[in-house]
């Protein structure tokens, strides 16, 4: 386990790697805040944050996640795409 400060340093480092890979320009503080507020993993929060920033629905089959993000981001299933 690591402290919140160490976690933030790690997240900022991870964010720099993503920028260099030109994948996304994420906001690690916002993602961490989303994870804490919604009581979801940082991994899930990163997708929620991207969907929210880009005003896109989040495609997931995770019913628990759908419940937790209700009102923040629209969640749809793969079935809804077809």
């Amino acid at each position: 386990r690591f402290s919140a400060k160490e976690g933030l340093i790690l997240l900022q480092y991870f964010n720099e790697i993503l920028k260099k890979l030109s994948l996304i320009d994420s906001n690690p503080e916002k993602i961490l805040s989303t994870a804490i507020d919604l009581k979801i993993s940082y991994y899930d929060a990163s997708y929620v944050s991207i969907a929210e920033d880009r005003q896109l629905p989040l495609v997931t089959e995770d019913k628990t996640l759908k419940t937790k993000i209700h009102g923040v981001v629209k969640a749809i299933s793969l079935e809804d795409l077809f």
Side-chain angles (χ1 to χ4, degrees), residues 5-72:
K5 183 178 179 182
E6 292 168 328
L8 186 55
I9 291 168
L10 180 63
L11 294 175
Q12 290 170 335
Y13 178 73
F14 181 71
N15 188 54
E16 289 304 313
I17 291 171
L18 291 178
K19 283 182 187 178
K20 290 180 190 236
L21 294 173
S22 300
L23 297 176
I24 59 170
D25 185 15
S26 64
N27 180 337
E29 292 88 358
K30 178 184 177 204
I31 296 169
L32 182 60
S33 176
T34 298
I36 292 168
D37 292 346
L38 299 177
K39 296 179 175 63
I40 59 176
S41 69
Y42 185 87
Y43 176 84
D44 286 341
S46 66
Y47 285 98
V48 170
S49 180
I50 292 167
E52 183 178 28
D53 290 348
R54 297 184 182 183
Q55 298 179 346
L56 296 170
L58 179 68
V59 180
T60 181
E61 300 302 316
D62 185 331
K63 291 178 183 167
T64 303
L65 181 61
K66 284 181 181 180
T67 300
K68 289 183 176 187
I69 67 173
H70 181 76
V72 177

